[in-house]
Amino acid sequence: MVNVRPVTSCWTSPHGRALPAPGARTLVMGVLNVTPDSFSDGGELPTPDAVVSRAGAMLKEGADVLDLGGESTRPEAKPVDATIELMRVLPALEALRKAFPAAPISIDTYKPEVAEAAVKAGADIVNDIWGCTHGLTAEDRHHWKPANLRPSPMAQMVAKLKCPIILMHNRPNKNYEDFWKDVVHDLSLSLMLAQWAGVAREQIWLDPGFGFAKDAPKNLEVLKNLSRITALGFPVLLGTSRKSTIGKVLDNAPATERLEGTAATVVWGIQQGAAMVRLHDLAPMKKFIQMADAIKAGENAKF
């Protein structure tokens, strides 16, 4: 159902901008939320100047990709329409591109029209929390077959833009018949939709969706056995930073006190094959990532 050949070539920006190659070390994605209601940093970046300042700090701290988002995806967050999302992200994106012309930028959106405008404004990558499946019914998801796939507007847009896409695992509910079978089934649908639309294989990454459509035990399960997703043969992005599951494990710690828990998930994820980690707190995570990479390399470690 899914081609599982290892990726042998690197993703490329539609703008010709250099993107960091996965594999030699764990890459880092820095979170830039221009939202008033994100779960741990809502309202912290109210102006383009604030976004540029935070991005500059992240780049100095080792960010390989800047991930710009204009809609909160926390549980029970109120959806916003594309017009509002674009009003939030385009001024920030314009300022980022002016300040950091060489920095790789991803746009965190599931809306094709936002993806199109952002990429045309200089974003390099689309980071889709619905993995090209937004709007599909439960029936479409459960019984899909290659012969009866409906076109995905996001997949078609990404193919048109010739940009990379990160396909995250997500679904409308937390109802699983067989957890791992269902997760792989869902990701296979995302992969099929993207490749069927014409997105090149080397332009595709996967994300296990830690914190999305999963309760705390299932978030821990998807992290424990992340290698089941890396085994699909695509680079994997892991986004656990400050998530509520970490808070629950650490005696209901608030988002501001989940640094050590995030570090543990990052180290574990790297050992399970994550190629990039998405973080709010880059500086304190740098040494954990560096050490985890060295352990993974073993006698081939370089220092």
Side-chain angles (χ1 to χ4, degrees):
M1 192 153 46
V2 175
N3 187 345
V4 296
R5 291 181 298 106
V7 174
T8 57
S9 55
C10 191
W11 53 348
T12 57
S13 167
H15 307 294
R17 196 172 290 111
L19 299 182
R25 61 175 176 82
T26 302
L27 303 177
V28 176
M29 174 183 279
V31 180
L32 295 172
N33 284 324
V34 288
T35 54
D37 56 346
S38 289
F39 78 97
S40 71
D41 58 356
E44 290 186 2
L45 303 176
T47 67
D49 286 345
V51 175
V52 168
S53 178
R54 177 72 61 82
M58 285 183 165
L59 291 169
K60 287 181 181 178
E61 292 165 357
D64 297 288
V65 178
L66 300 171
D67 189 44
L68 181 66
E71 177 178 353
S72 175
T73 55
R74 64 177 174 80
E76 300 179 4
K78 184 178 180 180
V80 300
D81 64 27
T83 301
I84 293 175
E85 191 174 346
L86 286 168
M87 286 175 60
R88 293 173 178 174
V89 300
L90 288 183
L93 181 55
E94 181 181 357
L96 286 170
R97 235 340 125 228
K98 183 177 180 180
F100 311 110
I105 298 174
S106 60
I107 180 69
D108 183 355
T109 188
Y110 57 86
K111 302 182 183 75
E113 58 268 48
V114 175
E116 180 177 33
V119 171
K120 288 183 176 179
D124 304 287
I125 303 156
V126 172
N127 184 10
D128 182 359
I129 66 163
W130 282 99
C132 291
T133 69
H134 185 257
L136 290 185
T137 66
E139 184 72 12
D140 288 335
R141 294 168 180 276
H142 189 68
H143 297 293
W144 75 269
K145 294 180 181 179
N148 61 10
L149 277 180
R150 299 183 185 183
S152 160
M154 178 62 95
Q156 291 178 314
M157 179 58 70
V158 168
K160 173 186 171 183
L161 295 169
K162 299 186 185 303
C163 66
I165 185 165
I166 300 169
L167 302 170
M168 198 187 80
H169 176 263
N170 204 349
R171 53 168 45 199
N173 56 58
K174 300 177 182 178
N175 301 328
Y176 296 89
E177 294 179 7
D178 180 317
F179 180 68
W180 272 109
K181 182 179 178 180
D182 291 348
V183 168
V184 173
H185 174 92
D186 294 342
L187 286 173
S188 297
L189 171 58
S190 290
L191 288 166
M192 188 65 72
L193 287 168
Q195 293 180 301
W196 189 56
V199 180
R201 190 177 190 280
E202 60 269 19
Q203 296 284 63
I204 298 173
W205 283 56
L206 298 178
D207 182 327
F210 187 98
F212 290 81
K214 302 169 189 70
D215 57 18
K218 286 185 170 55
N219 282 322
L220 295 172
E221 172 63 23
V222 83
L223 179 61
K224 176 184 177 182
N225 290 298
L226 186 66
S227 58
R228 293 195 181 201
I229 295 176
T230 61
L232 294 174
F234 295 82
V236 170
L237 168 68
L238 178 65
T240 58
S241 183
R242 302 182 181 175
K243 294 285 179 72
S244 62
T245 292
I246 296 172
K248 289 178 181 178
V249 172
L250 301 181
D251 303 318
N252 295 315
T256 54
E257 297 177 15
R258 298 172 187 170
L259 190 67
E260 296 89 348
T262 296
T265 64
V266 165
V267 171
W268 184 280
I270 290 170
Q271 298 309 302
Q272 292 289 309
M276 181 159 59
V277 290
R278 184 177 182 273
L279 298 169
H280 298 83
D281 308 292
L282 276 66
M285 290 294 115
K286 187 173 182 179
K287 291 183 179 179
F288 288 99
I289 295 169
Q290 190 175 356
M291 194 69 215
D293 279 346
I295 295 169
K296 188 173 182 180
E299 65 179 10
N300 296 317
K302 296 179 180 180
F303 47 87

